[in-house]
Amino acid sequence: MSRGLSLRKGAAGARILGFGDYRPRRIVTNDEISQRVDTTDEWIRTRVGISERRFAGDDESVVDMSVAAAGKALATSGVLAQDIDTVIVATCSAPAPIPGLAPEVAHRLAISAPGAFDLNAACAGFCYGLSAAADAIRSGSARYALVIGAEKLTDWTDQDDRGTCIIFGDGAGAAVVAASDTPGVGPVVWGSDGEKSRAISVAGRSSFMTMDGRAVYRWATTQLADSAHRACELAGVDIGEIDVFVPHQANLRIVDSMLRTMKFKDDVAVARDIVYSGNTSSASIPLALTAMIERGEAKTGDTALLLGFGAGLTYAGQVIICP
Ligand code: UT7
């Protein structure tokens, strides 16, 4: 029989200390898009809920946006860059597969030699990253982690394809996650359905993204409510006690369908950042929540249910306590 190994002793839990975001400078309206493809402002607003989105410029790379969002999250949380020991960049729109972006992001933030890796779970990426960070903190592998969701989806979107170009935008959001005696990141409920992996895909290095929007819409509105309820159950919170609901910002009609299915309280605050940001994949949840915190819609101590879903197909949800 082989001997067992020693393990580190981790913290009782993990807690988010602060969020930050970065929104690219250029605002692109529906009217601007309808000058190029056969669509209308009215169709986009009623079928998807988007009024405008941001497109990143040449000086706004995934790394640039990650650094900006993470710098803001560090400032908001009061944590020093030198204290961060783990950096996770959730993205599905890195310009190249090698190297991963997290080490460069850490270097530009003057974080010294952290564990640093990229994670691709598409639009569920931020929730996967948050879970990885919280579990690393609980197992003792980390004490202060940066979790970033950052996308430059316009690099991978055919601006002549009205099925995708009206939807996707660019941006980044970040959270500082720290060891805590009072857990503020609940257990994740995650999963995937690889049988539908072709529903959203990029065929090769010179290809753009294709999406079977109807299939993803059907899946999102019929398969995810149970996981959201389970995430609440595991965190010991009744769904009727949730103060803030932050689903991935894919389509406002998906958000409204989830609100009809799930039994939230009447005055639950709901993220609707898609109206101004479009669909920013792994950045959408931290972007939306940062804005809600800044507007006072999500307050310190509130319970928030996060629910990411998208390409893969992947999904992940957890309850957090707002910083
Ligand atoms: O974040 C990753 C996860 N992604 C998602 O969750 C996306 C989920 N899916 C969706 O949000 C929606 O399926 C879309 C917004 C992508 C599309 O909306 P839809 O209501 O499902 O449209 P559809 O594909 O069923 O098309 C309905 C009609 C079609 O015309 P006909 O065949 O009925 O004459 C389309 O050709 O709308 C037409 N159409 C458009 N019309 C104007 C499709 N795209 C457009 C457009 N402008 N941009």
Side-chain angles (χ1 to χ4, degrees), residues 71-114:
K72 188 170 162 185
L74 285 167
T76 310
S77 63
V79 171
L80 299 175
Q82 67 208 44
D83 291 328
I84 298 290
D85 52 36
T86 305
V87 177
I88 301 171
V89 175
T91 187
C92 59
S93 55
I98 302 170
L101 307 180
E104 187 185 347
V105 170
H107 173 70
R108 283 185 42 189
L109 289 163
I111 299 169
S112 174

Side-chain angles (χ1 to χ4, degrees), residues 39 43 47 123 162 166-167 213-214 216 248 250-251 253 279:
T39 190
W43 193 94
R47 301 302 294 175
C123 310
R162 72 176 183 173
I166 59 155
I167 296 167
R214 283 185 203 186
V216 182
H248 166 51
N251 185 321
R253 289 190 297 131
N279 181 336

Side-chain angles (χ1 to χ4, degrees), residues 79-275:
V79 171
L80 299 175
Q82 67 208 44
D83 291 328
I84 298 290
D85 52 36
T86 305
V87 177
I88 301 171
V89 175
T91 187
C92 59
S93 55
I98 302 170
L101 307 180
E104 187 185 347
V105 170
H107 173 70
R108 283 185 42 189
L109 289 163
I111 299 169
S112 174
F117 61 96
D118 294 4
L119 180 159
N120 183 349
C123 310
F126 182 78
C127 295
Y128 270 79
L130 181 58
S131 171
D135 287 350
I137 287 168
R138 285 204 311 129
S139 68
S141 311
R143 276 196 75 77
Y144 288 96
L146 258 175
V147 181
I148 301 163
E151 304 288 2
K152 192 167 179 179
L153 293 164
T154 47
D155 278 352
W156 299 95
T157 305
D158 179 355
Q159 296 302 334
D160 292 318
D161 171 15
R162 72 176 183 173
T164 51
C165 76
I166 59 155
I167 296 167
F168 294 108
D170 303 326
V176 173
V177 190
S180 172
D181 290 337
T182 49
V185 178
V188 73
V189 173
W190 61 19
S192 61
D193 182 355
E195 196 186 338
K196 298 187 180 68
S197 63
R198 294 288 136 206
I200 310 173
S201 65
V202 175
R205 64 180 74 180
S206 55
S207 307
F208 290 122
M209 188 186 341
T210 57
M211 179 170 78
D212 180 350
R214 283 185 203 186
V216 182
Y217 187 98
R218 212 174 310 116
W219 171 78
T221 51
T222 57
Q223 304 298 312
L224 300 181
D226 284 352
S227 303
H229 282 103
R230 179 94 181 110
C232 292
E233 203 181 295
L234 289 172
V237 178
D238 188 272
I239 196 155
E241 296 171 323
I242 292 291
D243 300 305
V244 185
F245 178 44
V246 192
H248 166 51
Q249 303 289 288
N251 185 321
L252 219 47
R253 289 190 297 131
I254 294 179
V255 176
D256 289 336
S257 166
M258 286 176 169
L259 287 176
R260 285 192 295 275
T261 317
M262 301 177 194
K263 304 286 177 231
F264 291 108
K265 60 185 179 184
D266 291 343
D267 61 348
V268 63
V270 180
R272 295 178 185 280
D273 194 53
I274 187 170
V275 178

